Amino acid sequence: MASRRTAAFATASAVLALSGLSAAPASAHGSMTDPVSRVSACYAEGPESPRSAACKAAVAVGGPQALYDWNGVNIANAAGKHRELIADGKLCSAGNDKYRGLDLARADWPASPLTAGAHTFRYKATAPHRGSFALYLTKDGYDPVKPLKWSDLEAKPFATVTDPRLENGAYVFQGTVPKKSGRHLVYSIWQRSDSPEAFYTCSDVVFGQDSGGTAPAPTASAPSDQQIEDGRGQSTVEHGGHGDDDAATGPGTSTPAPEPTQEQEPEQGGGAATTAPNAPAPATGSDSGAGADSGTPTGTGTETGELLAETGGGSATSYLAVGGAAVLATGAALLFALARRRRV
């Protein structure tokens, strides 16, 4: 009898443990590091006392916590509705008040040099998940001292990729950069496919001579792994990849996102009231048809190198579900048998 009770208790405990694991919501986090995003560049300078005038202004507006939380510029329930949810002038913050300092319209943000042609993009992923990336460049005539609008971006992404490979904690993929001159901005959208959550970045770039301001802006630098580790204790963002911690946008969800469709052309002068495109990249990981200067990125999860972690779903989750069901059935049988024997 004692052995049956022990087995039943152990089985029930295992069922509860598996149930807790399978129900835990997942959070993905990260930011562009090549070209360096605004929030990453300012975090690298130091959240409490950044060096550049632009980053100092961002801290004055939003406080240093936004920089400690450099990898959390997100919308928990975006589900591809980026233009519908993010108003003009708030693209860099994704409409999150905590990151409002990133929306400051100025021509002296730390910038990364960029040239036309093939480029290797890197996106630091502190919690990697499956999903699609779409990168947009600002149009010719972009004015950095005016609030960034959806209509300032080219109609189609110049680079898209689905499930790029993960190397040393960063997504790595290729794209072809169109010809531009002077100061521009690369806007990235990372739409998860295992959740409605999406992440956004603004990367200031300079093609050739910087003509956006009276003096050249400082060169942007990405935070080192040591800097990321040193600031972990000050961050309110969950770095481990799990936990319902969308502090800036409210509770997240791990329900499946809708199937991605072709990115729609943004309406001129768009904003919160414009038609929303769905997820930014096709499931094939190839170029979305963005014209002659568009990139044809490589780097899907099937390439050699470290594969994309599946912490938010996929085969590991399936095995867990199957194993949990089996244990649940066994536990139920044992508990039923024990209760029946007691009655007898």
Side-chain angles (χ1 to χ4, degrees), residues 24 52 55 98 103 111 115 140 180 224 235 283:
S52 66
C55 291
K98 177 171 67 173
D103 290 321
T115 57
D140 294 338
K180 297 285 183 179
S224 66
S235 176

Side-chain angles (χ1 to χ4, degrees), residues 49-326:
S49 55
R51 297 186 304 274
S52 66
C55 291
K56 288 179 180 178
V59 171
V61 169
Q65 191 60 52
L67 302 188
Y68 283 117
D69 295 345
W70 61 275
N71 58 348
V73 184
N74 73 333
I75 296 178
N77 296 301
K81 299 178 181 179
H82 315 298
R83 293 179 179 85
E84 186 175 285
L85 297 173
I86 303 174
D88 280 343
K90 297 184 178 181
L91 274 67
C92 296
S93 67
N96 296 325
D97 186 66
K98 177 171 67 173
Y99 298 104
R100 62 189 181 277
L102 300 177
D103 290 321
L104 294 177
R106 46 194 302 148
D108 59 349
W109 285 102
S112 302
L114 195 61
T115 57
H119 187 85
T120 300
F121 296 92
R122 295 181 182 276
Y123 196 104
K124 185 69 174 179
T126 54
H129 286 276
R130 292 193 175 277
S132 299
F133 291 84
L135 274 58
Y136 296 81
L137 258 173
T138 46
K139 297 175 180 177
D140 294 338
Y142 161 67
D143 188 350
V145 299
K146 294 181 180 179
L148 181 67
K149 304 188 300 293
W150 285 106
S151 59
D152 291 326
L153 303 179
E154 296 285 3
K156 295 180 180 179
F158 68 92
T160 62
V161 67
T162 298
D163 296 344
R165 68 182 185 273
L166 191 67
E167 293 182 358
N168 299 320
Y171 294 115
V172 180
F173 55 95
Q174 305 293 320
T176 302
V177 180
K179 292 182 179 180
K180 297 285 183 179
S181 62
R183 176 170 280 262
H184 279 273
L185 184 142
V186 174
Y187 191 70
S188 77
I189 300 173
W190 174 22
Q191 175 63 64
R192 288 174 56 181
S193 58
D194 58 357
S195 152
E197 185 180 36
F199 284 77
Y200 308 86
T201 68
C202 282
S203 297
D204 298 276
V205 297
V206 174
F207 292 82
Q209 188 71 25
D210 184 2
S211 58
T214 57
T219 300
S221 297
S224 66
D225 289 340
Q226 187 60 53
Q227 286 177 310
I228 293 173
E229 182 62 30
D230 290 344
R232 189 183 299 269
Q234 298 292 328
S235 176
T236 63
V237 172
E238 173 60 46
H239 292 263
H242 293 277
D244 190 10
D245 118 282
D246 298 294
T249 57
T253 176
S254 57
T255 56
E259 290 295 324
T261 60
Q262 185 75 14
E263 178 76 8
Q264 297 177 359
E265 181 175 345
E267 297 182 12
Q268 299 300 314
T274 58
T275 303
N278 287 314
T284 60
S286 62
D287 176 37
S288 63
D293 288 328
S294 299
T296 305
T298 60
T300 62
T302 58
E303 292 193 7
T304 58
E306 186 179 356
L307 296 181
L308 180 68
E310 296 186 46
T311 54
S315 58
T317 304
S318 301
Y319 295 145
L320 180 60
V322 172

